[in-house]
Amino acid sequence: MEFRDQVIRVLAEVLGDKLSAEKIKQVLEKPKDLALGDYAFPAFLLAKTLHKAPQQIAAEIVQKINQEHFEKIQAVGPYVNFFMDKSQASAAVISTVLRQQFSYGDQDLGKGGNVPIDMSSPNIAKPISMGHLRSTVIGNSLAKLLKKVNYHPIKINHLGDWGTQFGKLIEAYKLWGSEEEVKADPINKLLEYYVRFHKEDVAHPELDEKARGWFKKLEDGDEEAIRLWKWFRSESLKSFMKIYEKLGVEFDSFNGEAFYNDKMAEIVSILEKRDLLKESRGAQIVDLDKYDLNPALIRKTDGATLYITRDLAAALYRKRTYNFVQSLYVVGNEQTNHFKQLKAVLKEMGEPWSDDIHHIPFGLITQDGKKLSTRAGRVILLDEVLDDAVQLARKQIEAKNPNLENKEQVAKEVGVGAVIFHDLKNERMNNFDFNLEEVVRFEGETGPYVQYSHARAMSILRKAKEEGHVLNEQENYSLNDPESWEVITEIAAFPKMVKRAVVEYEPSVIAKYGLHLAKAFNKYYAHSKVLKDDEQLYARLALVKSVATVLKESLNLLGVHAPDKM
Ligand code: ARG
């Protein structure tokens, strides 16, 4: 329904094999001056092909073209100018949104196919990092987007809950830890023991020996080792859950690395059967030379399996369990090589579905342009960030709207929403800087700005209702002024934006879209007296209602709440 597509379609009909729709799309212009139409086609581009004067070509196009949905189509010199029939188009767009409400933009790209999304996946006994935040919010938004186009997303938290570090942690706990300490502040205490271990093992290399021993015990199912590991895991998970609750993110599975312990033998045996395992200095590897990749290390000298071995087992398990049409891994850019290796080994194993595995990488969050680093003191603790953001939001709400009901709830929705939105408005591969004051501003390119625009639209509708104006579906909602046209154009583009966001795995498309729509709406609102009692009052109210609906749905697709009042 997008207007630009309508123009491309009618042009493609007359131009046939002279110019493809794709090419028309590239050259179609949007004149600055509205007197030259909503779109303009530069007919002179065909002069060479057709051996005709540009003016003549433009005139001939106008003669042949289907003018049905247009107010007029005019040849002006070497250009064909298209004027949309704004009354007709606005009525069509508005009534579609009023009828479909939050299902506006739904489409069937997925045919119900399963898509596991590996997302968040923090490591036990360590704080959730800003990188894990990115994975969490990008994954969550992708899940919502995929659902909107009729895929069936399955959100999997592939917890980092196995590996040699747990041997170290157990040894450190046995030496310096206490149960009460861990219970009081699990993540920080466990991290503290772990860090201390790394300091002390420099002078006391025998610690490493002990740690290896504990990990071996863990892998062999030793009772004490398992008990401690389970306890560390559940304490850590509890504190992760608090953050997920704040973010409003839920998971369908918490099968982490440990879940695959009994599923790796099969991987090793498949690799052996296919003669893919090679010895290299006592370790077992799969050679990936023909993929231009380093060999994948499957088993260490001491028989221990690795991160990639567990990922191989997980990939196979997911294929069998979900029979997925795509399998996504929302994991930082720095693991690109790992996922290339994963896909390559699966391919070597003869699994054709390895092509349906997609690593969805993302860039870093920086502070003052620099990489975050614990050592340099540039750490951002997610839990604190969320609380500080809520605090800042609360302050601004207090100043703007001191009598607001539900202030605490709204402050949470705005503060947390601001952090999520800021993350998602950046194209995922870009690195971006984190500055809390920027993030929670009510003006500019922020989440609160979009939320505020939505709340403003809702307040207009409330006022109208108080004055006795209630929308009904039968009405003809046509508008033809230039300010509303900008808003209509944005609303009409929404379904296409949803599709683009899905195809590119790029929630930023929707975040940017929300900003554009909010901007167009605020401009409209500044120019027009919406509540003036004239014959277009209901059309304007219907437009406002459409804006509120699409803004709310856009925020929802990002995992951000849209309070009705703020
Ligand atoms: N726990 C890993 C980390 O924090 C991320 C795991 C990503 N998922 C996967 N299936 N490898 O770096």
Side-chain angles (χ1 to χ4, degrees):
M1 164 144 62
E2 220 209 350
F3 307 137
R4 203 184 170 83
D5 291 339
Q6 278 179 16
V7 176
I8 294 166
R9 195 175 331 122
V10 291
L11 268 170
E13 273 164 24
V14 279
L15 295 176
D17 54 359
K18 305 280 181 304
L19 209 59
S20 69
E22 201 41 50
K23 191 79 199 155
I24 296 171
K25 191 173 169 180
Q26 284 166 21
V27 300
L28 193 66
E29 298 175 14
K30 202 168 160 59
K32 286 251 144 46
D33 181 358
L34 279 182
L36 297 174
D38 300 301
Y39 300 95
F41 175 69
F44 53 83
L45 293 177
L46 290 167
K48 267 217 184 106
T49 331
L50 297 174
H51 302 291
K52 283 183 191 165
Q55 288 86 334
Q56 193 189 347
I57 300 171
E60 283 175 13
I61 291 177
V62 171
Q63 253 181 8
K64 286 189 221 150
I65 206 160
N66 174 2
Q67 310 231 0
E68 205 180 335
H69 293 291
F70 297 89
E71 184 191 311
K72 60 184 179 203
I73 300 177
Q74 267 181 344
V76 177
Y79 275 95
V80 181
N81 296 340
F82 293 81
F83 298 78
M84 300 302 303
D85 182 340
K86 299 191 172 58
S87 302
Q88 190 198 36
S90 58
V93 171
I94 293 174
S95 62
T96 305
V97 179
L98 291 199
R99 195 177 58 248
Q100 301 183 343
Q101 302 194 41
F102 297 111
S103 348
Y104 177 58
D106 286 8
Q107 35 208 304
D108 189 8
L109 304 179
K111 315 269 181 297
N114 282 344
V115 183
I117 308 177
D118 187 308
M119 52 183 265
S120 198
S121 310
N123 301 317
I124 297 299
K126 287 192 187 152
I128 293 198
S129 72
M130 289 300 268
H132 295 118
L133 168 72
R134 295 215 72 189
S135 170
T136 310
V137 300
I138 293 171
N140 191 47
S141 175
L142 288 178
K144 288 177 188 282
L145 282 160
L146 286 166
K147 199 160 179 190
K148 191 157 178 75
V149 300
N150 199 26
Y151 284 95
H152 181 249
I154 298 138
K155 293 183 276 183
I156 302 176
N157 196 329
H158 188 79
L159 292 170
D161 57 3
W162 205 253
T164 45
Q165 70 271 28
F166 289 96
K168 297 178 189 169
L169 193 59
I170 293 176
E171 177 61 19
Y173 173 76
K174 301 276 294 179
L175 284 174
W176 312 302
S178 88
E179 192 168 331
E180 300 82 75
E181 266 187 2
V182 175
K183 280 214 168 115
D185 187 7
I187 301 278
N188 287 326
K189 277 297 155 195
L190 293 174
L191 183 68
E192 200 181 294
Y193 305 151
Y194 187 71
V195 169
R196 178 157 172 199
F197 182 94
H198 276 276
K199 271 202 197 119
E200 304 217 355
D201 75 344
V202 183
H204 305 277
E206 72 276 7
L207 285 180
D208 283 316
E209 200 54 51
K210 289 228 174 92
R212 260 195 297 279
W214 274 115
F215 185 57
K216 178 92 178 78
K217 279 191 187 173
L218 194 56
E219 291 216 290
D220 294 343
D222 172 87
E223 207 178 305
E224 184 182 16
I226 294 279
R227 183 177 58 79
L228 286 172
W229 169 78
K230 273 197 179 145
W231 179 50
F232 296 155
R233 186 184 190 275
S234 79
E235 289 296 329
S236 301
L237 199 52
K238 258 190 245 164
S239 82
F240 295 160
M241 291 312 280
K242 279 192 206 139
I243 293 183
Y244 295 140
E245 213 166 288
K246 282 185 196 170
L247 290 170
V249 176
E250 287 172 358
F251 294 87
D252 300 299
S253 160
F254 285 92
N255 288 343
E257 295 190 38
F259 178 75
Y260 301 97
N261 280 343
D262 62 356
K263 300 174 179 61
M264 284 180 288
E266 185 187 359
I267 296 293
V268 173
S269 99
I270 298 174
L271 292 172
E272 270 166 352
K273 255 190 223 127
R274 294 200 156 235
D275 205 17
L276 292 166
L277 275 188
K278 302 233 152 63
E279 288 280 319
S280 166
R281 279 181 252 132
Q284 289 176 302
I285 61 158
V286 174
D287 185 278
L288 297 174
D289 244 2
K290 72 170 172 203
Y291 298 87
D292 237 344
L293 292 167
N294 291 329
L297 184 53
I298 303 293
R299 228 169 13 180
K300 287 202 241 176
T301 331
D302 61 5
T305 52
L306 289 114
Y307 183 52
I308 193 164
T309 327
R310 286 187 277 278
D311 256 331
L312 286 164
L316 188 60
Y317 177 83
R318 286 175 197 172
K319 184 63 195 177
R320 284 176 182 161
T321 309
Y322 306 115
N323 192 22
F324 57 70
V325 291
Q326 290 180 46
S327 182
L328 309 184
Y329 294 77
V330 187
V331 184
N333 198 12
E334 68 282 354
Q335 293 195 27
T336 295
N337 204 55
H338 167 76
F339 286 102
K340 281 189 181 156
Q341 289 183 316
L342 178 66
K343 289 182 69 160
V345 176
L346 288 167
K347 187 142 229 170
E348 288 297 286
M349 283 164 62
E351 304 293 3
W353 47 265
S354 64
D355 292 332
D356 304 324
I357 285 183
H358 302 294
H359 174 212
I360 313 297
F362 52 81
L364 292 172
I365 299 182
T366 56
Q367 208 170 38
D368 304 321
K370 296 193 200 90
K371 221 172 136 164
L372 297 175
S373 134
T374 326
R375 268 194 238 152
R378 276 189 304 277
V379 267
I380 304 182
L381 289 177
L382 182 50
D383 209 15
E384 284 171 20
V385 164
L386 293 175
D387 292 346
D388 292 350
V390 172
Q391 172 79 15
L392 270 179
R394 196 184 290 126
K395 252 199 240 159
Q396 294 183 74
I397 291 167
E398 205 65 68
K400 268 188 176 257
N401 192 355
N403 298 322
L404 182 68
E405 335 129 30
N406 259 337
K407 246 186 281 184
E408 202 41 45
Q409 181 59 24
V410 176
K412 273 188 196 155
E413 296 183 357
V414 173
V416 173
V419 174
I420 298 176
F421 190 93
H422 181 75
D423 194 312
L424 294 179
K425 81 167 185 193
N426 292 285
E427 275 161 46
R428 68 182 154 69
M429 281 304 280
N430 290 350
N431 298 344
F432 69 87
D433 218 65
F434 192 86
N435 170 331
L436 196 61
E437 307 275 326
E438 287 284 309
V439 171
V440 195
R441 278 198 347 226
F442 278 41
E443 303 293 327
E445 312 214 310
T446 66
Y449 171 74
V450 180
Q451 287 173 318
Y452 195 70
S453 308
H454 166 265
R456 166 176 278 170
M458 293 307 283
S459 108
I460 297 170
L461 295 169
R462 273 195 305 275
K463 198 140 171 229
K465 203 167 167 194
E466 278 161 29
E467 292 172 10
H469 304 300
V470 183
L471 294 171
N472 84 58
E473 270 189 37
Q474 268 57 47
E475 212 105 13
N476 174 17
Y477 298 126
S478 50
L479 288 164
N480 48 19
D481 58 295
E483 278 80 26
S484 64
W485 183 244
E486 247 187 270
V487 180
I488 299 277
T489 314
E490 289 294 344
I491 294 177
F494 181 63
K496 206 169 153 178
M497 293 297 162
V498 170
K499 181 172 177 188
R500 186 188 298 166
V502 170
V503 172
E504 298 175 7
Y505 305 110
E506 189 65 88
S508 67
V509 170
I510 298 298
K512 290 194 175 115
Y513 170 80
L515 288 167
H516 285 149
L517 176 56
K519 218 179 267 173
F521 171 62
N522 286 316
K523 195 165 141 199
Y524 169 74
Y525 180 74
H527 275 86
S528 328
K529 284 212 173 63
V530 176
L531 289 172
K532 193 168 72 182
D533 203 349
D534 61 11
E535 68 285 358
Q536 288 198 316
L537 170 64
Y538 282 84
R540 286 193 301 270
L541 286 176
L543 178 67
V544 172
K545 174 97 204 249
S546 309
V547 169
T549 303
V550 178
L551 282 180
K552 185 168 185 150
E553 180 63 0
S554 302
L555 289 170
N556 169 47
L557 288 172
L558 301 172
V560 175
H561 284 281
D564 285 349
K565 296 182 187 174
M566 66 185 265

